Amino acid sequence: MGWLMRLGALLCTLRVGLGSLDPEVSVPSASHNCPQECVCAADLLSCAGLGLQDVPATLPAAAAAAELDLSHNALQRLHPGWLTPLSRLRALHLGHNELKALGRGVFTNASGLRLLDLSSNGLRVLGRHDLDGLAALERLFLFNNRLAHLDQHAFQGLSALHRLYLGCNELASFSFDHLHGLGVTRLRTLDLSSNRLGRIPVTDLAALPTFLKSGLYLHNNPLPCDCRLYHLLQRWHQRGLSAVTDFAREYICLAFKVPTSRVRFFEHSRVFENCSETLARASLEQPEEQLHVQVGGSLRLHCNTSAPAMHVAWVSPQEELLVAPGSRNGSIVVLADGSLAIRNAQPWHQGVFVCLATGPRLPHNETHEYNVSVHFPHPEPEAFNTSYTTLLGCAVGLVLVLLYLFAPPCLGCHRCCHRTCRCRRWPRASSPLQELSAQSSVLSTTPPEAPSRKASVHKHVVFLEPGRRGLNGRVQLAVAENFDLYNPMGLRLKAGSESTSSTVSEGLVIT
């Protein structure tokens, strides 16, 4: 990064020098306001990777710089007041140096600083006044040092801090009750991973607000295999807090208080089989209170504490700090007793509201959480009219009965036997008797006498038994005039004389 900036500045200088062919035109020097061997680009001053053992003495000439990069050098100490000329400084990079200590008054004149990077140095102790003057600081990088001790009030003046990175150090303890003087109203990320934390008060962890629990990184520490701590972290894992779920495999505990007895307790939880569920959950975090309100409704939240609180603040779901008189848009009001009032609930009011109470009578900072759900009103269903539906059902039933009685599916079907029926009939399968009659009419040699003598559909059929001698064992079929082909049950056998049709073998005769 540093060598690219220096190369860019050099090319700009050469370009300006080559472009000025008129000797009378004066070209300002690009390095006039920049320390030697450093790169200045707009409001950036970079002296990274130069092997500097001390801060450049020409820094006062770069008063316009808003970002100063002194990383990847060999700086061993910083002088008090060295940032006084840089009144516009917003970001300071001091990572990858050889700083062993900071000292009092080092950042006294950096009231506008927003980002401070002190990572990858040799810091061992952070004193009470080492960070004085950084009231506007939002991000502090202290990872990859050798910090083994933090003063109880080391972060007391950092009221605007959002992110604090203390990972990869040698911390054996950390004060979670007041975070070494750091306020929790704005803090969102606290990285304590890869340290030597072996004693963690579970009650103090449970009292932290939810937005900080989601950004509290405790993985890769020799945590004790404590039942209450395990159940607390297990609860955070079930709730989906990213700091636990993203590094679940790196959470370890010492099963036998020996460094070599590390257990990944989210993967191998058998070490906690003998834990009592009641004892493990005692004195842990209280579940957030569920509240429901309709759009346009009003809601009031009370900050319930075990003792009277001197100061009460709220944090909205949008991570806005709410103190009297209330939110910036006026939709949320903080009352004199510390309670919070929502007078016209809207969908953006949905989420977790956190109350933070402090005071001399409280053993530690107390928090109370409300999970607010905002619903749209549901339209009321129409009343069910029983009399109307009953009347309608009777009318429909009456119409169906009239249709059944006076509108049969086939009108005039009872007269189909005497005249041509207009109704549609399904074809009937021909009976064996009809087939015999048709066959006998074909085989008979007796011509029809007259049209009136034609076989009607109501003729009777008589089978002649083959027992008589005169017929030579033949059966004569005779059709009478009043025989009904559709009612063959009235058939009867009778003997008759041999007719001319008997000459045909196995024939049938129509008489």
Side-chain angles (χ1 to χ4, degrees), residues 220-270:
N220 200 20
N221 275 287
L223 302 175
C225 291
D226 180 71
C227 293
R228 296 199 304 166
L229 179 60
Y230 167 73
H231 283 286
L232 179 64
L233 295 177
Q234 182 70 23
R235 176 178 170 80
W236 291 4
H237 188 271
Q238 293 173 355
R239 294 175 60 183
L241 301 185
S242 59
V244 180
T245 57
D246 295 346
F247 298 93
R249 197 173 184 277
E250 300 182 31
Y251 274 85
I252 59 176
C253 70
L254 300 183
F256 308 109
K257 297 181 180 181
V258 180
T260 56
S261 62
R262 297 189 173 191
V263 178
R264 302 182 187 273
F265 55 81
F266 279 124
E267 295 183 357
H268 311 285
S269 59
R270 295 184 59 184

Side-chain angles (χ1 to χ4, degrees), residues 425-508:
R425 288 189 176 184
W426 297 102
R428 296 185 180 182
S430 59
S431 62
L433 187 58
Q434 290 175 335
E435 295 178 358
L436 288 175
S437 175
Q439 185 178 6
S440 63
S441 62
V442 174
L443 298 178
S444 176
T445 57
T446 306
E449 297 179 358
S452 61
R453 301 286 303 265
K454 293 181 179 179
S456 65
V457 295
H458 298 285
K459 292 182 179 181
H460 294 283
V461 179
V462 178
F463 289 94
L464 301 181
E465 294 180 339
R468 298 183 178 274
R469 296 179 181 179
L471 296 179
N472 296 324
R474 300 184 182 91
V475 178
Q476 182 181 0
L477 177 64
V479 181
E481 289 294 330
N482 58 352
F483 176 69
D484 188 2
L485 288 175
Y486 297 100
N487 187 17
M489 298 302 296
L491 289 177
R492 59 188 179 86
L493 298 177
K494 70 176 182 177
S497 60
E498 183 178 2
S499 63
T500 56
S501 62
S502 61
T503 57
V504 182
S505 176
E506 302 296 333
L508 297 176

Side-chain angles (χ1 to χ4, degrees), residues 161-164 184-190 211-217 315-316 318-321:
L161 195 64
H162 287 178
R163 303 178 185 277
L164 175 59
V184 297
T185 55
R186 298 183 183 273
L187 190 62
R188 296 297 179 271
T189 301
L190 177 57
F211 56 80
L212 183 54
K213 294 174 184 176
S214 182
L216 177 60
Y217 296 87
V315 177
S316 69
Q318 290 75 29
E319 298 184 354
E320 179 185 359
L321 179 63

Side-chain angles (χ1 to χ4, degrees), residues 53-91:
Q53 295 183 357
D54 202 353
V55 178
T58 54
L59 280 182
E67 183 173 356
L68 175 60
D69 187 0
L70 291 172
S71 62
H72 297 275
N73 282 290
L75 301 179
Q76 297 181 359
R77 58 172 303 185
L78 300 174
H79 303 282
W82 70 286
L83 293 175
T84 302
L86 303 178
S87 59
R88 298 177 54 187
L89 193 63
R90 297 294 179 268

